[in-house]
Amino acid sequence: MTDPYSPISRLLHHRTKRLAKGEAIALPIIASSTFHQPGNPDGTHFYGRNGNPTVEEVEEEIGIIEDADVVLFPSGMSAIAAVFYGHLRPGDRVLVHADGYYNARALLAAHLEPMGVHVHAVATADFAAADFSGVKLALIETPSNPGLDVCDIAVVAAKAKAAGTILVADNTTATPLCQRPLDLGADLSIMADTKAMAGHSDILAGHVASRSEALMAPVRTWRRLAGAVVSPFDAYLLHRGLETLELRVARANANAMAVATALSGNARVKGLRYPGLAGDPANPVARRQMKGYGPIVSFCLESRATAEDFIARHPLAAAATSFGGVHSSAECRIRWGDAVPEGFIRFACGVEPVADLVSATLAALEKV
């Protein structure tokens, strides 16, 4: 019989339906690097690098949301690294987003290209028209961070499949609640769980999800051999964040839509991007493949000085990098070397009351 309840309901009661009388409702933290293992190994736990019960529970919880097998990592970048090192070999050709999170390109440039991997960058909006001939792996990020461009995952997935390319989708900005790359044909979905999944700006984590064991096996092997494992304490904090994921994502999305709508009529704001706005270039594709549009709004003010002044004057936005937390934050992305104008602001909405965040944003804009 098919379970009639939503993935979030099943996640929340993943443990409760299996508990014996007197067992803890909260997920236990199994803080052990070694386990009782007499005799020959028999598939049970024996060493922390090979598996931990707390971590595995959280992998199962994320797997419920993704409807896929999940491997957890100590950061989003370690999840990306596991895919790259698990699947790429000298001579392979890779397509990577030219305008998405820069560290994915930096890792390829610093370590994979010198080993003979051929890397070609493609703008997110151009991925559907890209040539996949001879491409071993393609990494898309949609919506892209920080520019918020979108590519049609289903179209790109069809081209990748026809060419024999492994399609990897970075779904960090959207989360599986708002967008489901695996349902749309992607082979692997990756996320920085540091962001919305954990949601409280207090841990680093990431995951890789897939419905193909053949594609996941090299990812698992790389994690074990490289030692890129999550501590049970961080896994527990991620678990705690997952329990409020739906509520936080809904509020952050509502905040982003409200802030973007409010800014759209302001003459001082240029280059406003939010995929949920009807007039945004990404909106037609985003409407087809997204159930929500994420917490990030990007826009430009006349100069970096003006942008920094706006951030400093905003009473409900922390001057910080990252996104997906409960606190709204803002930063000038030019400081990290992104190919953006000097006055470009990435505004990441948190879970403050919607009316408060909108009024605070407009008030800060009036003062600069």
Side-chain angles (χ1 to χ4, degrees):
M1 178 179 174
T2 303
D3 194 320
Y5 302 110
S6 71
I8 291 296
S9 290
R10 287 188 280 121
L11 179 154
L12 290 173
H13 290 277
H14 177 61
R15 276 182 52 75
T16 60
K17 65 183 180 182
R18 295 182 284 120
L19 293 177
K21 186 175 181 178
E23 286 190 298
I25 295 290
L27 178 66
I29 301 173
I30 308 299
S32 183
S33 60
T34 56
F35 302 84
H36 185 59
Q37 183 66 228
N40 291 327
D42 60 359
T44 55
H45 296 101
F46 67 95
Y47 187 59
R49 184 160 49 82
N50 292 70
N52 174 279
T54 304
V55 173
E56 289 160 9
E57 285 277 355
V58 179
E59 288 176 330
E60 289 183 22
E61 290 173 346
I62 298 173
I64 291 171
I65 308 174
E66 292 274 20
D67 190 21
D69 192 17
V70 166
V71 178
L72 198 58
F73 289 89
S75 69
M77 275 308 303
S78 61
I80 291 173
V83 171
F84 286 167
Y85 285 107
H87 286 283
L88 295 176
R89 299 295 179 267
D92 285 343
R93 183 171 177 237
V94 175
L95 297 185
V96 63
H97 48 67
D99 50 352
Y101 184 50
Y102 68 96
N103 270 325
R105 297 189 302 277
L107 176 60
L108 289 167
H111 291 279
L112 278 298
E113 283 189 293
M115 295 166 57
V117 173
H118 306 289
V119 180
H120 305 271
V122 178
T124 296
D126 296 336
F127 248 101
D131 181 8
F132 282 77
S133 301
V135 174
K136 174 67 176 297
L137 183 148
L139 173 63
I140 59 174
E141 181 185 46
T142 179
S144 60
N145 169 32
L148 302 180
D149 263 325
V150 165
C151 66
D152 191 317
I153 298 173
V155 170
V156 175
K159 292 191 67 172
K161 183 176 181 180
T165 302
I166 300 169
L167 180 62
V168 185
D170 186 333
N171 200 34
T172 300
T173 305
T175 82
L177 298 188
C178 299
Q179 180 175 264
R180 302 187 63 77
L182 298 178
D183 290 353
L184 294 167
D187 297 300
L188 296 161
S189 178
I190 57 175
M191 278 196 66
D193 297 325
T194 306
K195 312 296 197 280
M197 300 288 270
H200 291 78
S201 307
D202 53 6
I203 65 161
L204 297 176
H207 78 260
V208 179
S210 181
R211 295 164 187 166
S212 167
E213 178 53 36
L215 293 178
M216 288 295 272
V219 173
R220 291 184 189 281
T221 298
W222 188 85
R223 180 180 68 171
R224 176 174 57 83
L225 295 178
V229 295
V230 184
S231 83
F233 298 96
D234 285 350
Y236 172 80
L237 288 175
L238 175 54
H239 155 81
R240 191 170 65 174
L242 291 172
E243 293 187 320
T244 59
L245 176 64
E246 184 181 41
L247 300 173
R248 291 184 290 98
V249 167
R251 172 61 71 83
N253 286 356
N255 270 331
M257 179 64 85
V259 167
T261 301
L263 293 178
S264 64
N266 194 298
R268 298 189 64 188
V269 174
K270 308 298 180 184
L272 176 67
R273 296 298 306 271
Y274 186 64
L277 290 176
D280 190 275
N283 184 255
V285 175
R287 280 203 317 269
R288 290 200 300 272
Q289 68 186 24
M290 301 184 76
K291 295 180 179 179
Y293 303 104
I296 300 174
V297 179
S298 67
F299 58 95
C300 295
L301 297 181
E302 60 190 34
S303 66
R304 179 168 181 181
T306 304
E308 295 285 11
D309 191 24
F310 165 80
I311 294 168
R313 291 176 181 274
H314 200 302
L316 297 182
T321 195
S322 199
F323 57 90
V326 295
H327 312 93
S328 290
S329 63
E331 66 172 338
C332 290
R333 288 297 295 184
I334 193 71
R335 66 181 180 170
W336 303 116
D338 285 315
V340 295
E342 289 281 335
F344 180 98
I345 294 172
R346 185 180 73 179
F347 193 92
C349 295
V351 301
E352 299 87 356
V354 177
D356 287 354
L357 188 60
V358 170
S359 63
T361 301
L362 294 178
L365 192 58
E366 288 176 3
K367 295 176 182 178
V368 297

